[in-house]
Amino acid sequence: MRSISIFGATGSVGESTFDLISRAGGPQTFRTVALTGGRNVARLAEMARALRAEVAVCADESCLPALRDALAGSGVEVAAGDAAIADAADRPADWVMSAIVGAAGLVPGLRALRHGRTLALANKESLVTAGPLLMATAAAHGARILPVDSEHSAIFQALAGEDIAAVERIILTASGGALRDWPMEALANATVKEALAHPNWAMGQRITIDSASMFNKALEVIETREYFDVRPDQIEVIIHPESLIHSLVGFQDGAIMAHMGAPDMRHSIGYALNWPERAALPVARLDLAQIATLSFRAPDLNRYPALRLCRDVMSMRGLAGAVFNASKEIALDQFLAGQIGFMDMAGVVETTLARLMPEMCLETDVMTLEDILRADHLARIRAGEAATALAARR
Ligand code: NDP
């Protein structure tokens, strides 16, 4: 029986993973080792009972008594806190879903890789923050990272059986997010509610706002660079409002392989769960005659400054990814809290990068976890200062 763990089980990707595991037979088919959540202990306990997990861990230590109550008599162990989540990654599991949101996903993912596990990686922030370290750890311990982000799963599938040396370009598709068709001058006043109205995908709150600002796509450009080891100039972004092509790979003979499917994360999660095989999945099938047309347009970098910033980050390399991600997380917190405007988020990130880089550039890409955590910490402080300065001007 295959053993699995889900980090970030109570989130949007976690729920989709739970759905697929449950449909495939739940505890009859899989042995569930660890399930983790942040604060939603009621849902975490429900999932742990349904899958008969070995251990359930919540990140927020103040939620531990509630988790203990909810799992009383179930035989499921309980624990709380960041260290307990990281320890849960040491428990043997064949397949580990990394679906915590933000840089908090880095340490548990790294710990799972050190044990040679197969890591289904939804947590793009860890690749952006520590790509070289994650990839080197996976290589050193014979672990495998399977992409779960729909774009990277699409690229991975388009590359099956291909030689990466024959790849000319990788084209990431983007819906353009909730504010895609707004006039440029209105963007500064966009509210959280307006930025959350994603046209095609149902996702967690943070990634939905990041889709509207294209910080999500900027993270994905860096993720592509780290995961597939292609040059930055080989990575393109195109707006594709229908979100039916999840990404494309162009080869040196001029052929382009596109991956299509319904916008449903259960496809890429299911692909990673069943890889290297394909299994039947409960996702909608496309009716091409009904779809009839697909449209594309180039992104405007004035509207989406994040797409320009990610190019700077790739040319700086070293710890720039950690600074970029951490300052983006702070900028997003501040926007969600109503402290700064929608377009100010890019300002916070740009200011933080300018203050901390190139002082933090490494001579090589050999970075330690301590280097990364220090860069992440400093970037959060500097980004907080930049956000406060911007908020004072509003
Ligand atoms: P959600 O916000 O829906 O869920 C996040 C999960 O992480 C929840 O289980 C949450 O717990 C937990 N969590 C939050 N903060 C912490 C913390 N500090 N420590 C430990 N756990 C924490 O996010 P998504 O599912 O949308 O996204 C998860 C990851 O997958 C992100 O990296 C995202 O970029 C990526 N991704 C998501 C896609 C999507 O369709 N949603 C698509 C592609 C990638 P709780 O809710 O209990 O507080």
Side-chain angles (χ1 to χ4, degrees), residues 149-216:
D149 219 350
S150 59
E151 292 77 0
H152 303 81
S153 175
I155 298 163
F156 186 74
Q157 293 180 52
L159 284 172
E162 304 285 355
D163 181 354
I164 192 79
V167 171
E168 211 167 54
R169 57 209 279 237
I170 291 182
I171 308 166
L172 296 171
T173 50
S175 70
L179 312 176
R180 180 185 64 216
D181 300 318
W182 279 38
M184 188 60 196
E185 58 282 5
L187 290 177
N189 295 320
T191 63
V192 169
K193 192 163 171 239
E194 287 161 341
L196 278 173
H198 196 284
N200 306 322
W201 289 92
M203 307 182 285
Q205 185 191 50
R206 299 183 72 87
I207 187 173
T208 305
I209 305 272
D210 282 350
S211 294
S213 63
M214 285 262 209
F215 265 108
N216 180 49

Side-chain angles (χ1 to χ4, degrees), residues 7-15 36-41 44 58-60 82 85 98-102 104-105 121-126 148-151 201-208 210 216 219-220 265 268:
F7 288 79
T10 50
S12 166
V13 171
E15 283 283 0
T36 82
R39 299 180 52 85
N40 186 356
V41 290
L44 180 62
C58 57
D60 188 329
D82 294 341
I85 289 187
S98 166
I100 290 175
V101 66
L121 189 70
N123 177 257
K124 62 190 89 188
E125 298 89 340
S126 51
V148 169
D149 219 350
S150 59
E151 292 77 0
W201 289 92
M203 307 182 285
Q205 185 191 50
R206 299 183 72 87
I207 187 173
T208 305
D210 282 350
N216 180 49
L219 294 175
E220 288 175 9
M265 281 304 289
S268 53

Side-chain angles (χ1 to χ4, degrees), residues 2-6 17 21 30-35 51 92-97 273:
R2 207 146 65 107
S3 55
I4 60 123
S5 286
I6 310 174
T17 311
I21 299 279
F30 294 94
R31 189 169 68 77
T32 299
V33 178
L35 296 181
L51 295 184
D94 301 320
W95 188 88
V96 176
M97 165 54 77
L273 182 62

Side-chain angles (χ1 to χ4, degrees), residues 95-334:
W95 188 88
V96 176
M97 165 54 77
S98 166
I100 290 175
V101 66
L106 171 60
V107 171
L110 206 51
R111 291 270 279 266
L113 291 174
R114 283 186 191 147
H115 293 288
R117 317 263 189 260
T118 293
L119 188 71
L121 189 70
N123 177 257
K124 62 190 89 188
E125 298 89 340
S126 51
L127 261 187
V128 171
T129 300
L133 179 65
L134 276 183
M135 299 309 280
T137 304
H141 297 274
R144 184 173 283 281
I145 303 177
L146 294 173
V148 169
D149 219 350
S150 59
E151 292 77 0
H152 303 81
S153 175
I155 298 163
F156 186 74
Q157 293 180 52
L159 284 172
E162 304 285 355
D163 181 354
I164 192 79
V167 171
E168 211 167 54
R169 57 209 279 237
I170 291 182
I171 308 166
L172 296 171
T173 50
S175 70
L179 312 176
R180 180 185 64 216
D181 300 318
W182 279 38
M184 188 60 196
E185 58 282 5
L187 290 177
N189 295 320
T191 63
V192 169
K193 192 163 171 239
E194 287 161 341
L196 278 173
H198 196 284
N200 306 322
W201 289 92
M203 307 182 285
Q205 185 191 50
R206 299 183 72 87
I207 187 173
T208 305
I209 305 272
D210 282 350
S211 294
S213 63
M214 285 262 209
F215 265 108
N216 180 49
K217 207 51 55 184
L219 294 175
E220 288 175 9
V221 169
I222 302 171
E223 188 185 0
T224 303
R225 159 89 188 84
E226 299 299 343
Y227 188 84
F228 297 102
D229 198 22
V230 288
R231 295 186 317 273
D233 63 278
Q234 290 177 285
I235 308 168
E236 301 168 25
V237 173
I238 188 102
I239 294 185
H240 166 47
E242 295 85 0
S243 298
L244 295 174
I245 296 183
H246 301 311
S247 277
L248 311 93
V249 178
F251 294 92
Q252 61 187 1
D253 60 358
I256 290 183
M257 302 286 276
H259 177 283
M260 289 184 74
D264 184 334
M265 281 304 289
R266 291 177 305 173
H267 173 76
S268 53
I269 297 167
Y271 184 79
L273 182 62
N274 295 296
W275 184 89
E277 286 159 23
R278 284 187 189 269
L281 293 174
V283 298
R285 272 42 177 175
L286 297 185
D287 179 341
L288 294 178
Q290 199 186 10
I291 294 162
T293 51
L294 295 173
S295 53
F296 305 94
R297 64 172 107 134
D300 172 356
L301 296 192
N302 292 322
R303 176 179 279 270
Y304 301 116
L307 291 182
R308 173 175 50 77
L309 292 172
C310 73
R311 301 276 163 197
D312 298 344
V313 168
M314 289 187 292
S315 57
M316 292 181 229
R317 286 194 66 80
L319 295 166
V323 171
F324 181 70
N325 179 67
S327 54
K328 193 278 303 173
E329 288 190 20
I330 294 295
L332 178 55
D333 290 341
Q334 296 294 318

